[in-house]
Amino acid sequence: MSNRVLFLLTFLFFTNNILAQQRYSVSGVVVDSKSKAVASATISLLNASKGAVCNDEGKFVLNEVFEGTYTIAISAIGYASSLQQITIDKNSPKEYQFTLKEEAIQLDEVIVSAEKKEDNLQRAPLSITALTSKRINQLRLWNTRDLSSLVPNLYSGHPGDGRNVTAIRGITSTSYDQAIATYVDGVSQFTLDSYIPQLYDVERIEVLRGPQGTLYGRNAMGGVINIITKQPSNRTEGFAEWSLGNFGLQRLSAGVRTPLIKDKLFIGANALYEGNNGYFTNLYNDSKFDKQQSVGTNVFLRYLINSKWMMTLNLKQFANRNNGPFPLAGTVTEAFDNPFQLNQNALSKLVDNTGNSTLVIDYTGSKFNFSSQTAYQTNYRYYDKPIDGDFSPIDGVTVINNYGNKWNKVKVFTQELKLSSPAASKSAFKWTAGLFFFYQDVPTKQATHFGKDAQLVGSPDINYSIINSTHLYTSGVALFSQGTYVISPKTDITAGLRFDYQSSKETVLGEYESDANPGQLFPIRPDTSGKTSYQAVSPTFRFSFRPSNYSTLFASFSKGFRAGGLTQLAADPSVPPLYAFKPEFSNNFEIGIKNTLYSGKLRFNVSLFYTTVQNAQVPTLVLPDAITVTKNTGKLNSKGFDVEIASKPIRNLEASYNFGYTHATYSVLKLSQYGQELDLAGKHQIFTPSYTSMLSLQYAIPLNADAGKKVFVGGEWMSYGEVFFDLGNNIKQSPYSLFTARIGFSIHKFDFTLWGRNLGDTKYISYAYDFGAVHLGNPRVIGATARIRF
């Protein structure tokens, strides 16, 4: 430890003294279109860790800013956010003046950090959807699965246990290794178990469509969901929100951010409680089945060591309790004939505890920027009693995994070191390079019990358990780099490369226990182990051309991959215990155009894509063993297009529309089932609607001159094309639409909203397993939300 401290002190001394460069104080004033000062406006320099808050006269000062050209972001309540370029040197004006337009007539200019640096959404040559905190609160996005159709060609469903399965452009998660990576505050949410899907106190959400393997690495083969929560600063602010609805819905959240020592030490904290009485009725005991409660906290502590160095500590905790973790009907017919009713005799509660801890050290210099991100994630997930494995009232199959916290507790450690060119660099070449390391520990113990009626579900025997214990250790390292060269003010090219190496080791033990002799375990296969390793190279190349300041054209090629690993073949001792499956690779070709028109009143973005997938990983649930087997068995082709439109057509009216079309089919797909090989070439990809469509309208009526008081009304029409849920395309959901609406008022810093989701009470399949069990999407939910800001 002493050597690490000595190294850090030496590095601090070196960068503060050897790399010294001329620095300036930057003064400015923010005014509105009538030249009236805008108080409390927030100012920040992108990629420079510099910010300020305007005083009552609209004035601000940024101290110790390096010479160079920057993008400055200006935002204030009631005004459209603005991004402008400034040059800071000895000839800079003594005071800059920035003018903000009313949000009633102007769209926000949006910041994104898609390429691990902050940029203007419309200038970034990528297919990105960005949702600001204003928009997130307006739409009441409470969970990442609420992004379905709000982002073109994105679909997200879940089987009722809270783990979302997401697809973008036909690339989807068919196992516990996602194909769509999720990042929260820059940290990879490593598995479906270890990430927190609930959304609260979020600054913005970015969804990157298409493979992002170069900068994001493993499991970003279909895209990335990037969630940025609100950070503390010199400004004291906070909120409290309370929502009530039918089905016993309650949601309370609150947060505060404030300086402890001005310009030096800051703290932010927020908390969430949400619960409901469940949507499903269990006919077995005539009670609500899926009653849920969850509590989450998020704490930030930020310390500015000096003008160059900053440390941020973040602690996230989330505890979920679900009294009906798998509200599933046995068949599609049962689901629609008796919606939101089921009949299960095994009653259990899901206990799901997740923790994420992160330490980030940032250095902002004149020669380079440096960032170190250290993260530790845990998830302890179990069922307090056996859960129903046959989804019926018979004593057939139950699943048990409550063996104490030695088992079923996932632990992940990650470390990323990143260097990048400074924001103030005058060079035509901008670059990012880094190193990533991870270690994952997954001990799993699960028993499948076959009761007295087990022969009705295919078991050769009754009154016994098969206990499978596995312990998986996975580690990996990656090197990545990406650079952009500005050929001319209108043209630039980007190229990048990433090299990943991953190794996995797993031990497996299978045991038999008879109900007649509980506690006496007999091995059905010896304690065996297996290991595997693989490499992956993820290049990217992109060309962009900007014919004007309001238009960006781009063409790109990118590659992504989903991690390979080890899978258990079966509980049967006559077959090998473990099988090594390879990584799954995607190649994406894309062209697109982004336009900002009519003085910032209209955004119109279009992209076309063609994606191929090799070594497609296909999991199959083996019954009655209740073991998921993953094999590389196919090739997939996906093609389509995305359209996004946002506008302020008239004063106080915001209208947006997006449409996505995807045609994703397997050119090769061969599965073994019941001793026979099935050729499923030509079948459609699962969890992939043929199209998604979303029309959103929001109209505000000001009640006073400064728009501090207003009445608003809005809603969304969301449509989905045909969706398949099994590779044989036997389980499908026909096209359907969902409607949401809201009406409310704002009085300065208080908002009140009446709202409804799925107002037509449409019955539709949200998720289904390949063996036929079905989970319906949520019914009509109506509620009210009160929110106060300070």
Side-chain angles (χ1 to χ4, degrees):
M1 179 62 73
S2 60
N3 290 336
R4 294 180 182 177
V5 174
L6 180 61
F7 171 78
L8 179 59
L9 292 174
T10 303
F11 190 53
L12 283 166
F13 176 81
F14 174 82
T15 52
N16 275 295
N17 294 280
I18 304 300
L19 300 179
Q21 182 183 340
Q22 182 64 47
R23 285 173 282 183
Y24 299 87
S25 289
V26 179
S27 300
V29 62
V30 179
V31 298
D32 62 16
S33 56
K34 298 179 181 179
S35 298
K36 181 182 176 181
V38 177
S40 300
T42 300
I43 311 295
S44 64
L45 293 182
L46 302 195
N47 305 301
S49 300
K50 296 288 183 183
V53 178
C54 292
N55 61 20
D56 292 341
E57 296 177 345
K59 295 186 176 183
F60 68 89
V61 177
L62 297 172
N63 293 313
E64 299 191 60
V65 180
F66 290 115
E67 179 180 328
T69 299
Y70 295 86
T71 298
I72 189 168
I74 311 105
S75 61
I77 295 175
Y79 297 90
S81 300
S82 177
L83 299 172
Q84 301 183 36
Q85 275 202 340
I86 61 171
T87 298
I88 297 172
D89 56 26
K90 62 182 180 181
N91 298 317
S92 298
K94 291 184 178 181
E95 184 177 84
Y96 290 89
Q97 180 169 307
F98 302 103
T99 301
L100 292 180
K101 295 184 179 180
E102 297 174 73
E103 65 178 0
I105 61 172
Q106 181 92 14
L107 293 170
D108 288 320
E109 291 188 89
V110 181
I111 300 170
V112 293
S113 51
E115 296 187 285
K116 299 203 172 184
K117 62 179 182 180
E118 295 174 316
D119 200 356
N120 187 328
L121 168 68
Q122 290 301 94
R123 291 184 62 84
L126 295 164
S127 293
I128 313 172
T129 297
L131 300 166
T132 63
S133 60
K134 189 188 308 180
R135 183 69 167 155
I136 292 166
N137 290 330
Q138 183 185 94
L139 297 173
R140 277 170 307 288
L141 300 185
W142 291 348
N143 192 293
T144 55
R145 63 175 172 269
D146 295 336
L147 293 170
S148 287
S149 84
L150 295 178
V151 177
N153 283 319
L154 185 150
Y155 177 85
S156 186
H158 73 110
D161 68 343
R163 290 181 289 191
N164 300 334
V165 175
T166 302
I168 295 178
R169 293 177 170 180
I171 311 301
T172 186
S173 303
T174 52
S175 68
Y176 285 112
D177 279 317
Q178 309 119 290
I180 312 301
T182 300
Y183 279 70
V184 179
D185 294 322
V187 179
S188 172
Q189 307 304 288
F190 216 72
T191 70
L192 288 177
D193 288 322
S194 62
Y195 91 101
I196 300 171
Q198 279 70 17
L199 302 171
Y200 53 106
D201 207 20
V202 173
E203 179 65 29
R204 69 179 182 276
I205 301 172
E206 305 166 5
V207 180
L208 290 63
R209 301 188 293 280
Q212 307 296 327
T214 302
L215 291 179
Y216 291 94
R218 67 193 306 275
N219 301 342
M221 62 176 291
V224 173
I225 298 174
N226 195 16
I227 301 166
I228 299 94
T229 60
K230 293 190 175 182
Q231 308 290 305
S233 66
N234 269 328
R235 183 176 184 170
T236 296
E237 56 187 349
F239 77 99
E241 182 179 282
W242 185 23
S243 297
L244 293 173
N246 57 335
F247 298 101
L249 171 70
Q250 286 197 65
R251 193 176 197 268
L252 294 89
S253 58
V256 64
R257 298 174 297 279
T258 189
L260 297 177
I261 303 174
K262 187 178 180 181
D263 297 325
K264 203 69 176 176
L265 184 62
F266 316 91
I267 190 170
N270 52 67
L272 168 72
Y273 166 82
E274 61 181 6
N276 63 63
N277 291 333
Y279 305 115
F280 288 77
T281 299
N282 190 356
L283 300 179
Y284 181 79
N285 60 359
D286 192 28
S287 67
K288 283 295 183 180
F289 179 77
D290 53 331
K291 183 177 180 179
Q292 300 181 44
Q293 289 183 323
S294 57
V295 176
T297 58
N298 184 14
V299 178
F300 278 95
L301 190 64
R302 173 167 289 179
Y303 176 53
L304 299 184
I305 302 170
N306 55 36
S307 62
K308 297 180 180 180
W309 287 93
M310 178 173 66
M311 296 177 61
T312 304
L313 177 65
N314 179 217
L315 303 174
K316 294 182 174 73
Q317 298 287 330
F318 194 79
N320 179 36
R321 303 294 181 265
N322 186 338
N323 287 321
F326 287 98
L328 301 169
T331 66
V332 173
T333 301
E334 289 178 17
F336 284 102
D337 286 352
N338 301 288
F340 303 104
Q341 293 183 353
L342 44 79
N343 198 341
Q344 296 184 19
N345 65 317
L347 308 176
S348 177
K349 179 170 68 176
L350 169 66
V351 178
D352 189 4
N353 298 320
T354 302
N356 290 347
S357 304
T358 309
L359 176 65
V360 179
I361 301 175
D362 289 319
Y363 167 80
T364 304
S366 60
K367 304 298 183 183
F368 63 86
N369 291 344
F370 167 78
S371 179
S372 168
Q373 183 185 83
T374 307
Y376 181 67
Q377 304 171 35
T378 64
N379 175 260
Y380 182 35
R381 182 186 181 92
Y382 66 92
Y383 308 101
D384 67 342
K385 299 176 183 177
I387 64 171
D388 206 313
D390 52 61
F391 313 111
S392 73
I394 69 170
D395 183 14
V397 179
T398 53
V399 178
I400 305 159
N401 75 344
N402 187 3
Y403 290 99
N405 62 10
K406 176 184 175 182
W407 296 98
N408 304 307
K409 187 173 184 178
V410 178
K411 298 179 283 290
V412 181
F413 170 83
T414 63
Q415 174 68 58
E416 183 178 82
L417 302 174
K418 184 183 68 175
L419 291 168
S420 61
S421 52
S425 174
K426 297 179 181 180
S427 171
F429 182 65
K430 306 289 186 180
W431 54 271
T432 299
L435 169 71
F436 177 78
F437 168 81
F438 78 89
Y439 178 78
Q440 182 184 29
D441 179 5
V442 186
T444 304
K445 188 172 184 177
Q446 179 172 294
T448 304
H449 179 262
F450 301 91
K452 63 182 179 64
D453 300 321
Q455 290 178 333
L456 297 176
V457 291
S459 173
D461 203 353
I462 62 173
N463 299 324
Y464 72 100
S465 296
I466 298 295
I467 304 172
N468 284 283
S469 305
T470 65
H471 205 142
L472 175 65
Y473 305 91
T474 306
S475 62
V477 64
L479 294 170
F480 62 91
S481 64
Q482 181 169 301
T484 298
Y485 182 74
V486 180
I487 301 172
S488 71
K490 294 184 176 182
T491 308
D492 57 60
I493 57 172
T494 298
L497 189 67
R498 184 186 185 103
F499 174 80
D500 280 88
Y501 173 82
Q502 178 171 311
S503 63
S504 299
K505 180 181 178 180
E506 186 170 8
T507 60
V508 177
L509 174 63
E511 297 172 300
Y512 173 93
E513 181 183 34
S514 171
D515 288 2
N517 299 291
Q520 295 187 23
L521 304 179
F522 301 93
I524 58 174
R525 74 160 71 249
D527 188 352
T528 58
S529 65
K531 60 182 179 179
T532 188
S533 63
Y534 68 86
Q535 302 171 357
V537 177
S538 305
T540 188
F541 180 81
R542 188 164 57 245
F543 172 83
S544 62
F545 174 67
R546 298 178 180 87
S548 71
N549 290 332
Y550 311 105
S551 185
T552 298
L553 293 89
F554 65 91
S556 67
F557 165 78
S558 59
K559 188 171 185 176
F561 76 97
R562 182 158 53 152
L566 294 164
T567 184
Q568 189 175 351
L569 286 180
D572 185 351
S574 65
V575 300
L578 291 170
Y579 168 81
F581 58 94
K582 300 175 183 178
E584 178 178 299
F585 293 97
S586 63
N587 297 287
N588 185 69
F589 304 86
E590 185 167 349
I591 58 173
I593 183 170
K594 296 181 172 184
N595 299 284
T596 303
L597 307 170
Y598 301 109
S599 301
K601 290 181 171 62
L602 174 67
R603 282 198 302 267
F604 178 71
N605 301 339
V606 181
S607 56
L608 292 83
F609 64 89
Y610 177 74
T611 306
T612 63
V613 176
Q614 292 82 37
N615 293 334
Q617 297 172 7
V618 178
T620 302
L621 183 64
V622 178
L623 296 175
D625 297 336
I627 294 173
T628 299
V629 175
T630 301
K631 290 187 175 182
N632 302 101
T633 57
K635 295 181 180 180
L636 177 79
N637 297 318
S638 180
K639 56 188 176 183
F641 62 88
D642 311 317
V643 178
E644 292 183 285
I645 302 170
S647 66
K648 294 273 188 173
I650 61 174
R651 187 177 183 87
N652 295 313
L653 175 63
E654 182 175 354
S656 60
Y657 178 74
N658 70 54
F659 183 87
Y661 169 78
T662 299
H663 181 75
T665 57
Y666 284 93
S667 58
V668 176
L669 184 59
K670 295 182 178 180
L671 297 181
S672 295
Q673 194 172 63
Y674 306 115
Q676 296 181 341
E677 185 175 81
L678 301 180
D679 188 349
L680 299 180
K683 297 296 184 180
H684 291 270
Q685 174 66 301
I686 59 176
F687 303 117
T688 302
S690 56
Y691 66 85
T692 63
S693 173
M694 190 278 294
L695 173 66
S696 176
L697 299 173
Q698 173 92 1
Y699 185 66
I701 304 172
L703 301 179
N704 61 348
D706 64 1
K709 299 179 181 180
K710 61 184 178 183
V711 175
F712 56 84
V713 61
E716 285 72 44
W717 171 41
M718 297 170 286
S719 296
Y720 302 85
E722 190 174 51
V723 191
F724 296 95
F725 296 95
D726 69 309
L727 294 171
N729 290 178
N730 298 310
I731 305 173
K732 69 176 183 179
Q733 170 62 55
S734 299
Y736 64 98
S737 295
L738 302 175
F739 297 90
T740 68
R742 59 193 165 273
I743 185 171
F745 62 87
S746 295
I747 301 177
H748 299 294
K749 296 182 179 181
F750 175 77
D751 306 323
F752 180 80
T753 309
L754 297 173
W755 51 265
R757 290 175 169 167
N758 189 10
L759 288 175
D761 204 22
T762 301
K763 308 297 187 296
Y764 63 97
I765 300 173
S766 173
Y767 189 97
Y769 287 95
D770 55 4
F771 59 85
V774 170
H775 177 70
L776 293 181
N778 292 347
R780 180 194 297 119
V781 180
I782 297 174
T785 298
R787 181 182 180 90
I788 188 168
R789 305 179 302 277
F790 57 88

